[in-house]
Amino acid sequence: MTVVVRMLAGRILALIPLLLGVILFVFIVMRFSPVDPAMAAFNGANATADQLQQFREQNGLLDPLPLQYVHFVWHLLQGDFGTSVITKEPVGQTIATALPLTVQLTLLGLALALVVSVVLGVTSALFRGRWPDHLIRFVTLAGVAAPAFWIALLLVQWLAVGKGLFPTSGYVSPADSFSGWLNSLTLPAIALSAPVAAQLTRVIRTSMVEELDKDYVRTARGGGLPPVVVVGRNVLRNALVNPLTVLGLRVGYLLGGAVVIETMFALPGMGQNMIQAVQDGDTAKVQGFVITIAAGFVLVNLIVDVLYLVANPRLRSRS
């Protein structure tokens, strides 16, 4: 237990310079972008040179870059993401409104990806070399190659426009209607999760095949244990340890892919708001959205590390 706590503490401490590095990268990219926050603040109006200069002075845009970065980080530590130069509203308020939808879409996509990948991965490994295995491997290969936005277009064309089973766009809050919420997020979640499910299926199949070829499986089968017990109690549990290391990166893909999918389905989440902020030249919003998504990615990987430590008994037994 001491080893697990020590390893977990080390991972948490490593997140501090990582997050600071991410913030520094976003800060530098936005400061050297061609977008002028002063010009964006006047929204295309004919601002005088004095007005632009006054805006830059009031917002610290004329301070040395190191000082601007220190002020930026200090405000972030206080939960202040700045103020939108377009809407004049706190960026944190916009994030608080948009983030829940992105989290809902990501979690729903993750749940779909996990269920599909476990079922297909285990089935493919158990029928290794036979037609179910060949079919699943072909489907997953196509799924890995197909981008999420292309899958989204096919789903909209087939199930939304063609069959009329789902809406083409829009969002319904679960507080208003759970069925409406599920209906509005089904197609986006399927499009978002399909490539991840295909990748995880291949990883789970490989891990399952390796476990099925080990001596303890042959011994258990020779001892008369039912295949369901052997696979469910031992093989599957051991085989899912390695895919956990891949899961963190895949969840990061889901967070990033949600940006595109939300825009395609007109979902008012982080993605659509960030695209709109880029179009408006609202640097404060772009910074806040990117940093929030990056922090979510880092947090998810920390959770996956914890799950890996819990699931791997060899790490827990180290002295």
Side-chain angles (χ1 to χ4, degrees):
M1 188 65 180
T2 305
V3 176
V4 175
V5 173
R6 190 161 58 244
M7 295 180 68
L8 181 59
R11 281 167 168 77
I12 293 175
L13 290 176
L15 294 182
I16 298 176
L18 178 60
L19 286 174
L20 289 176
V22 169
I23 294 171
L24 177 61
F25 176 77
V26 174
F27 175 82
I28 291 177
V29 169
M30 295 308 301
R31 287 302 181 274
F32 285 95
S33 70
V35 177
D36 186 354
M39 295 294 295
F42 289 92
N43 199 22
N46 293 323
T48 65
D50 291 339
Q51 289 176 319
L52 296 175
Q53 185 74 4
Q54 183 180 6
F55 178 88
R56 296 186 181 106
E57 290 177 355
Q58 291 175 346
N59 291 271
L61 298 177
L62 299 179
D63 295 337
L65 282 180
L67 183 59
Q68 290 186 44
Y69 176 68
V70 171
H71 288 163
F72 182 58
V73 173
W74 175 249
H75 285 293
L76 284 179
L77 293 176
Q78 301 177 65
D80 181 10
F81 287 86
T83 303
S84 168
V85 297
I86 305 298
T87 64
K88 312 304 179 184
E89 296 178 350
V91 176
Q93 180 178 327
T94 305
I95 294 175
T97 303
L99 183 60
L101 192 154
T102 301
V103 172
Q104 292 168 25
L105 177 59
T106 302
L107 291 179
L108 187 57
L110 177 62
L112 286 174
L114 287 176
V115 172
V116 171
S117 61
V118 170
V119 172
L120 294 183
V122 172
T123 303
S124 182
L126 294 178
F127 289 91
R128 176 176 33 168
R130 287 178 276 179
W131 71 264
D133 180 30
H134 295 311
L135 177 61
I136 291 173
R137 292 173 68 184
F138 174 78
V139 171
T140 54
L141 180 61
V144 170
F149 71 87
W150 182 75
I151 297 175
L153 289 174
L154 292 181
L155 291 173
V156 169
Q157 184 67 28
W158 179 35
L159 297 178
V161 177
K163 303 293 184 180
L165 299 176
F166 298 96
T168 57
S169 62
Y171 171 72
V172 177
S173 172
D176 297 331
S177 171
F178 179 79
S179 60
W181 170 81
L182 191 61
N183 202 39
S184 64
L185 289 187
T186 296
L187 290 188
I190 293 175
L192 186 62
S193 65
V196 175
Q199 293 167 347
L200 283 178
T201 297
R202 298 174 70 86
V203 173
I204 292 173
R205 179 197 178 274
T206 301
S207 187
M208 281 286 297
V209 168
E210 292 176 356
E211 287 295 321
L212 289 170
D213 288 340
K214 290 184 177 179
D215 292 336
Y216 78 88
V217 177
R218 288 191 289 269
T219 302
R221 286 174 172 173
L225 286 176
V228 175
V229 176
V230 176
V231 174
R233 183 179 299 175
N234 299 308
V235 176
L236 183 59
R237 183 178 59 185
N238 295 333
L240 291 181
V241 173
N242 289 332
L244 276 176
T245 60
V246 182
L247 183 61
L249 296 176
R250 296 305 95 200
V251 174
Y253 169 86
L254 290 174
L255 282 170
V259 173
V260 178
I261 297 300
E262 286 175 1
T263 303
M264 294 185 65
F265 287 92
L267 299 174
M270 295 284 288
Q272 189 180 36
N273 278 275
M274 186 164 66
I275 296 298
Q276 186 62 48
V278 171
Q279 294 174 346
D280 295 339
D282 198 336
T283 55
K285 276 190 177 181
V286 175
Q287 286 179 159
F289 292 142
V290 173
I291 289 173
T292 301
I293 292 175
F297 177 78
V298 171
L299 178 61
V300 166
N301 278 272
L302 174 63
I303 295 174
V304 171
D305 284 343
V306 173
L307 293 177
Y308 185 74
L309 292 174
V310 172
N312 195 335
R314 288 174 293 183
L315 290 176
R316 297 200 305 269
S317 60
R318 282 180 183 175
S319 57

